[in-house]
Amino acid sequence: MGMQTGAHIVWDWNGTLFHDNDAIIGATNAAFAELGLAPITLERYRALYCVPVPKFYERLLGRLPTDAEWEVMDAAFQRHYSMQRSRCTLADGVTELLVRWRSAGRSQSILSMYGHDELVPLVKGLGIETHFIRVDGRTGPSGGSKAEHMVRHLAQLALSGVEPARTVVIGDAADDAVAASHVGAEAVLYTGGSHSRASLEGVGVPVVDTLGEAVAVAERLAG
């Protein structure tokens, strides 16, 4: 797509572009079962979920998991999620939104905390990789914040002329807004993923119920 001079969107993947709530809950409950914990509903998950993920488990256990417990639960989650994600699809209207944003001469990228080696072929397999100037998944251990990954992502995007001041992060988690603030970008949070509206509204950035609304707000913020 060459050098970029206009607005840029950094898209989150899980729970934003990729509608995988059912797989997330299924994998989470499989991880809980490894430690004999009761299953959790989607509503309770969305009310309590936070990053770093061990803090989410602390809200459920009443204490932080031990290192050994975290390793067991994380491995179980990753294993079961990989099995269940094949039933998931892109969120409604995603392809049209990506095409429209790109056709307007604007750029976009993906930054996800899903493992990089799994993310890239998944994006390609869904036929949308050509809409992005960069696709980055997590490298290193799981469970942490997106902020430092965002620093590296924006540094790479700068080579294509993307400026943080004209960048908007669209995601479904409070951590997406934290990561955006960390690099001087704006953020819009979407209620269709991992967080309830109530848990997002205290973050201090725009909260929307559809990705179409998110793109419209991003256009205003970065325009």
Side-chain angles (χ1 to χ4, degrees):
M1 293 174 68
M3 294 295 289
Q4 305 301 318
T5 58
H8 180 87
I9 290 175
V10 177
W11 291 97
D12 175 54
W13 181 248
N14 304 98
T16 304
L17 291 178
F18 193 53
H19 185 65
D20 60 350
N21 288 349
D22 289 344
I24 292 287
I25 291 301
T28 297
N29 283 332
F32 288 174
E34 295 283 341
L35 296 183
L37 301 176
I40 188 173
T41 64
L42 175 61
E43 291 72 22
R44 183 163 171 76
Y45 178 95
R46 296 178 77 239
L48 296 179
Y49 181 75
C50 65
V51 173
V53 178
K55 293 290 291 183
F56 167 56
Y57 290 149
E58 181 182 25
R59 292 181 175 184
L60 295 166
L61 294 171
R63 60 174 176 79
L64 279 171
T66 66
D67 290 346
E69 288 172 333
W70 164 250
E71 289 179 9
V72 168
M73 296 172 80
D74 185 50
F77 176 89
Q78 301 297 340
R79 184 172 66 254
H80 285 273
Y81 179 82
S82 294
M83 292 188 291
Q84 296 187 39
R85 76 177 188 196
S86 61
R87 300 197 299 268
C88 303
T89 62
L90 294 171
D92 289 343
V94 160
T95 301
E96 293 80 1
L97 289 172
L98 298 177
V99 169
R100 194 180 313 148
W101 186 265
R102 185 185 181 200
S103 297
R106 307 181 184 105
S107 60
Q108 51 200 333
S109 60
I110 293 174
L111 176 62
S112 173
M113 294 301 283
Y114 190 42
H116 184 78
D117 291 342
E118 291 78 28
L119 174 67
V120 171
L122 181 55
V123 172
K124 185 174 183 179
L126 289 165
I128 59 172
E129 79 280 3
T130 58
H131 299 303
F132 306 104
I133 61 173
R134 190 169 184 88
V135 175
D136 285 332
R138 171 186 49 78
T139 57
S142 61
S145 173
K146 186 178 278 187
E148 291 306 318
H149 295 270
M150 188 68 74
V151 170
R152 292 190 291 272
H153 188 69
L154 265 291
Q156 291 296 323
L157 293 176
L159 301 176
S160 297
V162 173
E163 301 174 0
R166 300 203 65 191
T167 296
V168 179
V169 177
I170 297 178
D172 67 319
D175 190 53
D176 291 301
V178 172
S181 177
H182 193 65
V183 295
E186 301 284 351
V188 182
L189 298 180
Y190 163 62
T191 63
S194 63
H195 283 41
S196 65
R197 171 174 277 276
S199 64
L200 293 176
E201 286 182 333
V203 177
V205 302
V207 177
V208 299
D209 296 319
T210 70
L211 293 179
E213 291 176 88
V215 171
V217 174
E219 187 171 6
R220 293 198 299 270
L221 290 174

